[in-house]
Amino acid sequence: MGEHEDAAAADTRRLGVKKQTLDDAYAAPANFLEIDIANPMTHGVAKKRYTDYEVRMKTNLPVFKKKESSVRRRYSDFEWLRTELERESKIVVPVLPGKALKRQLPFRGDDGIFEDEFIEERRLGLEAFLNRIAGHPLAQNERCLHMFLQDQEIDRSYTPGKIRNT
């Protein structure tokens, strides 16, 4: 029985794990993709009024041609991205925060979809949506995601496809 216990103890011992140093702990992560959405701005008047958001990205993933970018996007751009990913990729695309149709009705006693509280709620929802998509390894190769994150203007007549690492 002693021999069996020794074998079991050997099986459960940790592998020779290297102790982490402070340099390791504070070094840049091996691979990272950070995306945040900030600085909402409302433009226009009456029916031409809309809010857009700054989409900021930092990464060291080789699949992205730019390591840092900042673009402005409105809700309809997020809808476009979701539609493109559903059509072109093999991933399950998460839902966007709702369109808030009731907030767009006339004769409201508030600013509807232009209320600061609503804009912040939507910003958080769009950020969660974008991080879930961008964190998916298959989505990271989609041309539409690269265009959305890095190009100032979205070319809606682009040719869908995958980004190839060069």
Side-chain angles (χ1 to χ4, degrees):
M1 186 151 169
E3 185 179 312
H4 178 67
E5 286 173 8
D6 290 342
D11 287 345
T12 58
R13 258 186 304 223
R14 288 184 156 236
L15 297 173
V17 178
K18 182 182 149 225
K19 196 153 172 78
Q20 186 178 35
T21 67
L22 280 177
D23 287 342
D24 294 338
Y26 291 99
N31 284 324
F32 70 91
L33 174 61
E34 296 171 3
I35 297 172
D36 71 333
I37 297 178
N39 305 321
M41 291 174 59
T42 299
H43 309 272
V45 292
K47 290 187 188 264
K48 301 279 186 212
R49 200 169 175 198
Y50 67 93
T51 301
D52 67 8
Y53 305 83
E54 181 183 11
V55 178
R56 302 182 298 203
M57 181 200 78
K58 287 184 181 178
T59 187
N60 67 356
L61 294 175
V63 72
F64 288 96
K65 66 182 183 237
K66 296 180 185 173
K67 299 309 167 198
E68 281 189 40
S69 63
S70 172
V71 296
R72 294 206 70 83
R73 298 288 182 247
R74 52 193 292 182
Y75 186 83
S76 58
D77 296 327
F78 285 86
E79 290 179 309
W80 171 85
L81 176 63
R82 185 173 196 284
T83 301
E84 290 299 303
L85 286 169
E86 281 184 321
R87 189 165 50 113
E88 296 301 325
S89 74
K90 304 286 186 256
I91 67 169
V92 176
V93 184
V95 295
L96 278 166
K99 284 203 63 94
L101 296 174
K102 287 183 180 172
R103 284 186 168 268
Q104 297 176 42
L105 295 173
F107 312 115
R108 289 181 56 94
D110 63 10
D111 249 354
I113 62 171
F114 302 107
E115 287 278 316
D116 288 346
E117 184 180 309
F118 174 75
I119 289 172
E120 177 59 13
E121 252 178 62
R122 179 172 269 183
R123 184 194 71 75
L124 291 170
L126 293 173
E127 188 173 270
F129 165 80
L130 199 49
N131 274 292
R132 283 189 62 200
I133 287 172
H136 195 293
L138 293 177
Q140 290 171 2
N141 293 318
E142 293 295 333
R143 187 168 280 127
C144 59
L145 179 65
H146 285 247
M147 195 172 11
F148 182 90
L149 290 172
Q150 300 189 315
D151 294 355
Q152 292 304 315
E153 300 293 321
I154 293 175
D155 175 8
R156 293 179 190 245
S157 62
Y158 83 113
T159 304
K162 309 280 185 244
I163 300 291
R164 303 279 178 237
N165 266 348
T166 52

